[in-house]
Amino acid sequence: MEPVRTPAPIPADPGTDRARFSWDMARGWLQGLPRGRGLNIAHEAVDRHAAGPHAGRTALRCIRKDGTAQDLSYAELGARSSRFANALGGLGVAAGDHVFTLLGRVGTLHVALLGALKHRCVVTPLFSAFGPQPVATRLALGNARVLVTTSTLYRRKVEGIRQQLPALAHVIVVQDDERDGLPTATLDWQALLASASPAYEIGPTDPQSPALLHFTSGTTGAPKGALHVHEAVVAHHATALYALDLRDGDVFWCTADPGWVTGTSYGIIAPLSHGLTVIVDEGEFDALRWYATLERERVNVWYTAPTAVRMMMKGGAATARAHRYAALRFIASVGEPLHPQAVAWGMEAFGLPIHDNWWQTETGGIMIANCAGMAVRPGSMGRPLPGVTAAVVRREADGGVAPIEEPGLDGELALKRGWPSMFRGYLNDEARYARCFAGDWYLTGDLARRDADGYYWFVGRADDMIKSAGHLIGPYEVESVLMAHPAVLEAAVIGKPDPLIGEAVKAFVALKPGIAASDALQRELLGFARTRLGAAVAPKEIAFAEALPKTRSGKIMRRLLKARELGLPEGDTSALEAA
Ligand code: AMP
């Protein structure tokens, strides 16, 4: 194999480069596969470093639940992911096949994802807190051929639904509970890797070929699989430079769960593409543990979320100040509105502001941000990144959109198509994809306003989606599970404002004739939903209703339920069915 060139230097001063930025320029910051064989995310994230001067640098520092740590260098991550790529080949898995992971925050996820990308498979990381129902739905919709999970998660969430998934040919299991042994009809991760070669040459990869499939919820119907291509790495790399202020030699910590897009784009790909050391904390959220981690690991850049910040704020800034964060240079947040108080708390607790930024599954990478070197405007999501054209638009009667030029007015947030990490389709649903665009504008489904200085402010969702602890939850998926209970006639689900988690999932349920509402039934329904959906998605509250408000065409009016719940004006109810 031809020697791999050393990594292209990242620009020393992104501030200067910002003015002359182009996506072509950002393409030049990556290396590309040797001999002009295209662009592969895994090559940029690991192989080019493993073959260069940073081979011995720690790529992953995995902190176990008990606080002990295990390091993996770029050379080791390269070899392990190559072993997995070879193992997939040995199983007859082909380029283009779909590989899923159902894992917590563990280094195995990085190995599996990068190995599958090397083998040119399409990868979907699933959220490990999902219950069996959302797992089954996504594995089936995504045509999963391979699943990598742990023996504990397999037994809890997959074993019972396996027969519904005939296309799922291989389940590879990391045994995290030796006493149980290997579940039947699964393969052992360790054994598979041990018998595979650590050398793997990535095949020619078209930058426009599918690489990642991220499920996101829709207001109606099944979850949508947003497809991203290998070229997305150009945006992961460049946006992290501007919005997260990454610098050579940094220790970087992204606290997002790997089952959501942030955990992939910025928990794995972006920092590794910069050759940084990535912290992977296997433990659950615990404010004291997090402060200790930031201090002990000398984290330079920390990317977190408003719910986590609010939970830390509860403990008071003095608790945070009990530690010293000598290395911490930049804090960023994403996923839900970051209130001005949270930005101020960052100053009190860490002596640094928290930089809000905005993006979504479909955009694949950060689009709008309060960047380093730019005045943070507390409460604002920031300004569009270099290479990103945003606008607040109004939908026109003819189906087109018109940008609202005047600042301060509400409209839908839209982005001009053409950035490399833009999703290239919803899996098997071209019509739904087409509906997201009006000419060259991608319509985000978020409402926003732009001020006179070009900063964007989040106003709300244009649809009924719920953001709970940073997780986007589709009401339809929750309603479908409730309606599977024999006592339920119909259900409607809304997001109820919650001071800690942003919004809590609340369900309104109408019972079948002859069935009486009771506390016992309410508890049973909460448990029923929780077992199937998982705690992160299931309703926290269920209220019984005689009947649910509907339009004359029979569509449940979730907005009206929400307005009534919050004591807000009911808005236009002209379409409401007569009671
Ligand atoms: P997801 O696709 O799960 O990443 O969710 C994306 C959605 O989260 C966006 O469309 C917004 O509604 C919301 N979101 C993301 N970042 C922010 C932010 N900084 N402020 C307000 N809402 C946000």
Side-chain angles (χ1 to χ4, degrees):
M1 203 174 122
E2 187 177 286
V4 183
R5 281 181 284 139
T6 51
I10 60 174
D13 179 3
T16 328
D17 277 320
R18 172 185 284 269
R20 56 181 189 88
F21 178 88
S22 72
W23 289 115
D24 274 342
M25 177 173 141
R27 281 183 187 94
W29 297 340
L30 299 178
Q31 190 176 54
L33 287 170
R35 302 191 298 284
R37 302 205 310 161
L39 184 71
N40 185 295
I41 293 174
H43 176 80
E44 303 303 329
V46 62
D47 280 5
R48 72 159 163 162
H49 306 300
H54 297 327
R57 187 184 268 184
T58 300
L60 305 181
R61 162 152 274 228
C62 303
I63 306 170
R64 300 188 191 93
K65 289 195 172 121
D66 66 8
T68 59
Q70 190 195 2
D71 290 350
L72 212 63
S73 68
Y74 274 94
E76 287 163 334
L77 182 61
R80 272 200 213 180
S81 49
S82 286
R83 283 181 189 274
F84 184 55
N86 280 318
L88 287 172
L91 292 171
V93 175
D97 282 348
H98 289 200
V99 174
F100 279 57
T101 62
L102 180 67
L103 295 164
R105 285 183 208 82
V106 289
T108 308
L109 173 80
H110 299 62
V111 174
L113 181 125
L114 294 169
L117 289 175
K118 284 184 177 182
H119 199 54
R120 293 171 292 161
C121 294
V122 181
V123 189
T124 304
L126 289 179
F127 184 34
S128 60
F130 274 151
Q133 187 63 53
V135 170
T137 305
R138 286 158 180 76
L139 288 170
L141 283 173
N143 209 19
R145 176 119 200 261
V146 179
L147 171 69
V148 182
T149 186
T150 65
S151 44
T152 305
L153 288 170
Y154 180 78
R155 289 210 165 85
R156 280 203 216 135
K157 309 187 179 207
V158 186
E159 204 159 36
I161 53 159
R162 180 94 186 257
Q163 78 290 353
Q164 300 169 27
L165 305 161
L168 184 60
H170 309 287
V171 177
I172 303 166
V173 159
V174 180
Q175 291 196 58
D176 55 354
D177 189 346
E178 299 288 342
R179 289 165 307 174
D180 288 350
L182 192 66
T184 48
T186 65
L187 300 163
D188 179 43
W189 166 265
Q190 291 293 2
L192 209 58
L193 259 66
S195 60
S197 159
Y200 184 91
E201 187 180 8
I202 300 175
T205 311
D206 180 345
Q208 300 306 326
S209 58
L212 298 160
L213 175 68
H214 287 295
F215 281 93
T216 178
S217 299
T219 326
T220 56
K224 307 171 281 186
L227 264 173
H228 292 275
V229 297
H230 277 275
E231 190 198 36
V233 66
V234 174
H236 298 146
H237 186 86
T239 55
L241 186 65
Y242 290 113
L244 303 178
D245 191 38
L246 300 187
R247 300 194 194 157
D248 192 26
D250 273 351
V251 174
F252 175 77
W253 187 20
C254 169
T255 59
D257 191 281
W260 302 91
V261 69
T262 310
T264 303
S265 296
Y266 297 99
I268 303 177
I269 299 170
L272 292 178
S273 79
H274 282 276
L276 307 186
T277 295
V278 176
I279 301 293
V280 183
D281 184 7
E282 299 180 7
E284 293 305 320
F285 172 82
D286 170 350
L288 298 181
R289 178 182 172 102
W290 281 28
Y291 297 139
T293 301
L294 286 167
E295 178 178 35
R296 188 189 58 241
E297 303 302 337
R298 301 187 56 76
V299 172
N300 302 108
V301 179
W302 180 34
Y303 194 20
T304 189
T307 292
V309 173
R310 286 191 294 267
M311 299 214 271
M312 288 186 278
M313 285 169 79
K314 265 179 56 170
T319 318
R321 283 200 306 266
H323 294 262
R324 286 178 46 76
Y325 311 99
L328 195 58
R329 187 181 72 243
F330 194 81
I331 311 176
S333 157
V334 72
E336 24 163 353
L338 183 75
H339 299 290
Q341 301 88 309
V343 179
W345 182 80
M347 291 302 302
E348 261 186 78
F350 304 103
L352 295 169
I354 303 179
H355 298 74
D356 190 15
N357 60 53
W358 177 96
W359 59 292
Q360 56 180 196
T361 305
E362 286 84 347
T363 71
I366 301 169
M367 299 282 105
I368 293 177
N370 288 279
C371 293
M374 182 176 135
V376 172
R377 214 160 262 200
S380 158
M381 308 185 290
R383 293 205 304 228
L385 289 191
V388 173
T389 306
V392 174
V393 302
R394 182 187 323 116
R395 293 203 190 218
E396 306 278 89
D398 64 0
V401 297
I404 303 174
E405 302 298 347
E406 201 183 325
L409 297 180
D410 293 1
E412 186 162 354
L413 179 60
L415 302 163
K416 198 54 100 36
R417 68 161 86 225
W419 70 97
S421 63
M422 184 182 87
F423 71 133
R424 298 305 205 275
Y426 286 128
L427 190 68
N428 303 325
D429 201 347
E430 267 178 54
R432 212 162 178 180
Y433 185 66
R435 283 203 299 275
C436 295
F437 293 86
D440 268 352
W441 291 107
Y442 162 65
L443 299 162
T444 66
D446 278 4
L447 302 175
R449 118 174 32 112
R450 191 187 61 248
D451 67 20
D453 299 316
Y455 282 76
Y456 283 73
W457 300 73
F458 184 76
V459 172
R461 290 282 312 181
D463 54 25
D464 293 334
M465 299 300 295
I466 299 162
K467 255 283 157 136
S468 187
H471 304 142
L472 195 67
I473 297 171
Y476 177 82
E477 199 166 12
V478 182
E479 290 159 3
S480 312
V481 161
L482 285 169
M483 285 173 64
H485 189 281
V488 175
L489 179 65
E490 50 191 17
V493 166
I494 64 160
K496 180 178 168 181
D498 180 281
L500 203 58
I501 57 173
E503 286 188 309
V505 178
K506 172 160 186 179
F508 295 87
V509 164
L511 297 171
K512 286 188 180 151
I515 297 183
S518 68
D519 287 351
L521 183 56
Q522 191 185 45
R523 278 194 301 277
E524 184 182 321
L525 287 175
L526 284 167
F528 181 84
R530 200 182 158 97
T531 315
R532 282 158 185 79
L533 291 164
V537 182
K540 302 256 178 297
E541 201 182 322
I542 291 182
F544 293 112
E546 283 294 313
L548 300 177
K550 292 203 202 72
T551 60
R552 287 194 200 96
S553 57
K555 217 171 140 208
I556 293 177
M557 296 177 82
R558 299 186 189 108
R559 262 161 202 270
L560 191 57
L561 283 167
K562 188 159 177 172
R564 287 178 183 166
E565 175 74 25
L566 305 185
L568 295 173
E570 295 195 353
D572 181 6
T573 52
S574 56
L576 186 65
E577 178 191 53

